[in-house]
Amino acid sequence: MQTILELQNVVKNYGRTPVLGGVSMEVKEGEIISVLGPSGCGKSTLLRIIAGILPLDQGLVRIRGREVSDKRRTLPPEKRGINMVFQDFALWPHMKVEDNITYGLKVGKVDPAECRKRVEEIAGLLHLDGLMSRYPAELSGGQQQRVAIARALVTKPSILLLDEPLCNLDVQLRIEMRTEMSYLFHKLKTTVFHVTHDPSEAFAMADRIIIMNRGRIDQADKPRTCYLRPGTALVAGLLGAGNRLKRAVLESGTVGDTCCVRIGQDIVEGMYFPGEGRGDLSCQVRFRPEDCRWSSVRGENCFAVTVMMSTFEGGFYRIKTRTMDGDELCFLHSGPIEEQESGYIEVEREKLYVYGSADC
Ligand code: ADP
């Protein structure tokens, strides 16, 4: 598969503040990439550099093998063969839906017959047939989103850039749209560079997820791999492993990718990710509330806890507990549990992530 987008060691500073600290990646033709990361990690900055809206300080960007970021001959956004869908859709309010979609083709001087064919095709795919003579103000948020996507796809860009494209839609619509968009992009074999802070959006849409942390890439893998094997403590936290034990201690004698940790008086096994650890026995243990189980008697791979609080959350109770070391954690349970009751938390070895983390 041909490489469509290539970034090599992209560095960007705002004044003296470093924002991108050397980002490298390749995106293949037809691939849907989701760049995921906490707010402020540099996702939009990266997107704007690819779009050509923002210059980089070091490194290079290639689109279809052509360098577009050379300081002396930077290729302007309109010549990069890219299109972008913005958070607020940015439709032209004075133009009807049909004119909004056709605009890019007219600017590109596409033959009128071809133009009509493409607009009809894309309007059909996005279910816009009956809305072509409306103005944007006469459309719902979801319909405006479809028009923005149609307008971006109709010119058949080399890369489609999506900047948090669903964040202005309500929850139900967001879930529907992300499935539909993923289907459409795969069907049209569109190469997509999608930026989001919402893991479920990235899971639903991406072939590959790139997780950024403070201007660097922490992990780049298939969605399932990122979920099952989060490579850093930040990735684990972002992908739902909200339980964090900072007082656990690594037992010496770690073998391969598994290890033993001491939590209070108990020793449990987990998956080991050495990362940028200090090389000593300090570590950070992470796991998901839904991946652990309460037991009033000692079972497999477990550690002792005391219950602090039970909160009703609809289909389940969230039980807050404390380890013997004083770390707090939650698990999900079918009913409430008495305050101060003692018991054990069981977590399978494959679902207990241990990071030799320098910032734990
Ligand atoms: P994200 O999209 O991941 O939320 P951004 O790329 O928007 O992050 O921003 C990364 C960092 O750069 C943030 O700390 C933000 O405050 C800062 N930043 C963004 N734009 C500017 C700017 N024009 N001038 C100075 N700092 C900026």
Side-chain angles (χ1 to χ4, degrees), residues 256-273:
D257 59 359
T258 61
C259 67
C260 289
V261 278
R262 179 181 292 275
I263 301 172
Q265 300 296 311
D266 301 292
I267 293 180
V268 294
E269 279 187 276
M271 306 307 294
Y272 184 53
F273 302 86

Side-chain angles (χ1 to χ4, degrees), residues 14 19 38-45 48:
Y14 285 123
V19 176
S39 182
C41 72
K43 305 181 293 294
S44 300
T45 300
R48 279 184 255 149

Side-chain angles (χ1 to χ4, degrees), residues 273-293:
F273 302 86
E276 293 171 352
R278 291 188 281 248
D280 59 12
L281 297 179
S282 63
C283 67
Q284 184 181 142
V285 171
R286 290 264 188 179
F287 53 96
R288 298 185 174 91
E290 60 272 31
D291 282 346
C292 55
R293 201 173 74 85

Side-chain angles (χ1 to χ4, degrees), residues 32-53:
I32 302 180
I33 293 287
S34 288
V35 177
L36 182 67
S39 182
C41 72
K43 305 181 293 294
S44 300
T45 300
L46 192 61
L47 192 96
R48 279 184 255 149
I49 286 173
I50 296 167
I53 304 167

